[in-house]
Amino acid sequence: MAAYLCPPAVIHGKHTVETSQIVAEVRGRHPHAVWAPRIDGIAASTGIEARGWMLPLETAVAPGNGSGLRAVGSGSAREALARDGFTEQDVDRVIAALEAIPAPQTVQERTAPAWAAVQAYGEHAARGALQIAGLDAADVDCLITSHSTTPALPGLDVALANKLPLRGDVMLLPATQWACIAGTRSLALAADLVAADPDRVVLVVIAEALSTTYQPADDTLESLIVRLLFADTAVAAVVTGRPRPESILRLDAAWHHTLPGTQDLHRLETRADGTHFVMDRRGPRAVQETVTAMWEWLRVRYQDHPDSWHPDVLLAHPGGTRVLEYMEQTMPDGWPTGLLDYSRDSYTSGNRGGAAVFDILRRAHDAKRQEPGDRAVLYAAAPGLTATALEGEWL
């Protein structure tokens, strides 16, 4: 399974949203929530002080274009009030008051501007990755794309095929539901594609506007955490079947793992006011099970020299600090400290979902601390609960 990866292009959301801004907005909107007295401590526990969004915070919290009557309609409201004995003058006053109440944004109002941003950021990342690899759009034989929070048909693959533009015979492989494993799973798929034809050039593009899950009306603790975690990012990278001068990592093996009965622990729900990311508190424990399974995969893979082998860098997107801590606590004895430094560094500016592993990889590349021959492990887990890891060698 030898596949060669060029350095990724990473485009962060240009609108900086401070954690203090989110705290102030949520506190003003939900002053009586049961968790309100603890909001500062909850925010601090994430370790995230700021994150980049494709659209500003004001866009996420703005009211919709309709009024409080949008759900029932003014005609139905008038009839109901008249049946209850209100005078025509009273009905007019009530209707006017209801029309003055702003309604939440609809799913269309939330998604349309985000989808436009996802396409623009994805194109920017794609062009950057091709430039880094010393290639043109005409060299691409296959395009793999992922974007999970802005559903669209046609999707990002067709949008980029037209925007770049790509050749008419390019294989387009969209994946809108990979979510957090988009980085590792797209690389595993790309490696399979170039193994079948080493002359193929595969372009991977992941653009995530996770800020669309910011739902101002929600008052649950889980919703507060979702508001604080997510960042918007677009990433892209080129994978080839033969080494190029720009290649930085050879991918040698891939591993996939899915836990049965965990599909409800993390999920996206589309409601009238947009996309909601729903989390169960049992989620981190389930993610930890995939980590344990990955350690076993690596143990078996290197069982002939268990005492001497360890990765020199671990590029992991586990979704939160609790799982990062668990990974450090359960690493085999003798592994060096600091393997997750780049993952921790990336997480301080937000959870990037499917774009996270490419961002972490870029940080490792830019640090210039890796040597040729260093072993690297890439890992991510996603709603499902499913995980994909890759193992390879730094070039």
Side-chain angles (χ1 to χ4, degrees), residues 12 20 32 36 81 87 103 131 142-144 146 180 190 237 245 249 267 277 280 393:
H12 302 289
S20 58
H32 305 298
L81 291 169
T87 67
Q131 183 177 23
C142 176
L143 172 67
I144 302 173
S146 184
C180 295
L249 184 65
R267 62 190 187 275
F277 186 72
D280 189 291
E393 182 175 295

Side-chain angles (χ1 to χ4, degrees), residues 94-273:
V94 172
I95 293 297
L98 290 173
E99 288 177 337
I101 300 172
Q105 294 182 47
T106 64
V107 62
Q108 180 182 12
E109 290 170 336
R110 286 299 302 271
T111 303
W115 170 230
V118 162
Q119 294 175 80
Y121 274 73
E123 179 185 0
H124 190 180
R127 293 187 184 279
L130 290 171
Q131 183 177 23
I132 290 169
L135 296 169
D136 296 320
D139 297 313
V140 175
D141 300 302
C142 176
L143 172 67
I144 302 173
T145 61
S146 184
H147 59 104
S148 61
T149 58
T150 47
L153 182 66
L156 186 60
D157 58 324
V158 174
L160 294 178
N162 285 278
K163 289 174 178 290
L164 292 176
L166 301 178
R167 302 190 320 264
D169 63 345
V170 168
M171 183 190 305
L172 303 180
L173 295 173
T176 59
Q177 293 170 315
W178 273 345
C180 295
I181 54 166
T184 52
R185 193 154 292 180
S186 63
L187 291 179
L189 175 57
D192 286 342
L193 290 168
V194 299
D197 182 356
D199 292 323
R200 272 188 180 134
V201 173
V202 180
L203 175 62
V204 175
V205 183
I206 304 162
E208 290 288 21
L210 302 179
S211 60
T212 56
T213 63
Y214 192 107
Q215 294 294 346
D218 288 355
D219 63 355
T220 65
L221 176 60
E222 289 75 18
S223 176
L224 169 64
I225 294 172
V226 168
R227 287 174 169 90
L228 294 166
L229 288 186
F230 287 133
D232 295 347
T233 314
V235 296
V238 169
V239 179
T240 57
R242 306 185 194 280
R244 296 182 55 79
E246 300 83 4
S247 302
I248 62 167
L249 184 65
R250 188 187 70 237
L251 303 174
D252 294 329
W255 165 87
H256 306 283
H257 189 74
T258 301
L259 290 175
T262 59
Q263 64 268 27
D264 292 331
L265 299 185
H266 308 83
R267 62 190 187 275
L268 281 179
E269 293 183 354
T270 300
R271 305 173 189 169
D273 57 350

Side-chain angles (χ1 to χ4, degrees), residues 358-375:
F358 280 32
D359 176 66
I360 297 165
L361 174 64
R362 183 72 211 196
R363 291 168 191 266
H365 169 70
D366 291 347
K368 302 186 184 303
R369 296 207 298 262
Q370 306 309 132
E371 300 289 340
D374 281 356
R375 301 304 296 185

